[in-house]
Every structure is written in C-alpha cells, then in structure tokens.
Amino acid sequence: MRIGDVVKALGSMAAAPLRVRRQPPQPPVGSEHYLLPELAANLESATTKAVDLPIVRTPPGRWREWPPLVLAGCDEPLSDGAPDLRGVWQVYRRPLKGHIERNEQAGNRVVITAAGIIHDMFADGTLDGGVRDEGVGGAQIEMAARFEDGRLNLY
C-alpha cells in the first residue's frame, strides 16, 4: 500500500462518523434482505454450493441502492467452526453509530455488503480466496480471511 493510500484511508476513517451522522444510511428495502435462507442439513444434500456462484466485487463508483443478495439460492451449510453472522446489522453506539451492513454466508464464503462496497470472500486463509476490493477511502485492499475461535478474522 502506498503512503498516499494510507493517508487517504486514515482521513476517510476519521471522517466516517461525521458522514454517517450527516447522511445516515438507509436499511435495505424488501423482505429478501432479512429472511435467513434455509441451509441444507449437510454438504451432500446441498443443491447449490457457495463455490458455484460467481464472486461479486464493489461496482465502479460504489453502489447507491442495496444490491441483490449475492448468495441467493445457495443452501450449502456453514463450515464447521464458522459463526453465523448472517443478517442485517446496524451499529447503535460509538463512532460508527448508524452504520448498516448485510452479511451473507454459505459454506466458508462470507459476503459483507455495506456503505457502497461488497466484500465477497472465502474464509480459507488465503489471499486468493480473500477480499480483493476497494477499502476505506477507495484504497485497493487484499485480505485473507479465516474462521478462528468462533470469529471471522481478516489478515
């Protein structure tokens, strides 16, 4: 990461609470965003696996309206040791008060959609399976992800 990207990201993070207060994000409209999909009892009985669906990245200029679900129709059960992070979440306290994100999961795949970005990743501990996308302030990021001790950790 270049120095300019670091400065841009830090400045954007510092300004985030002000942006959220001035223009609070709107939650997704439509029940499909809030209904948790029913997952298969085991991997063998899953009809659509997470790896069968294309990877989605943040669109140029970021999204303005909540995009459709990335893992719609996927019924692969969550990986062993994966916390269930699925749902629409809103921060109610501290600096990011008002931040809203939608989390989707299937197998070891996690999709976090929030604030104009879409982070689509496999929690397999590799950079190839991790996030390759736009981060805070527009800086390009690459992160590996894996489930550890009941958490999703990004590296």
Side-chain angles (χ1 to χ4, degrees), residues 11-35:
S12 195
M13 282 190 293
L18 294 174
R19 277 194 313 273
V20 167
R21 285 190 198 118
R22 285 186 189 141
Q23 295 180 338
Q26 297 300 309
V29 176
S31 61
E32 69 276 9
H33 297 280
Y34 300 92
L35 300 173

Side-chain angles (χ1 to χ4, degrees), residues 53-76:
L53 299 172
I55 299 294
V56 176
R57 304 284 185 225
T58 299
R62 298 186 168 207
W63 56 264
R64 303 272 183 252
E65 293 182 22
W66 285 91
L69 295 163
V70 173
L71 300 179
C74 186
D75 64 344
E76 181 178 348

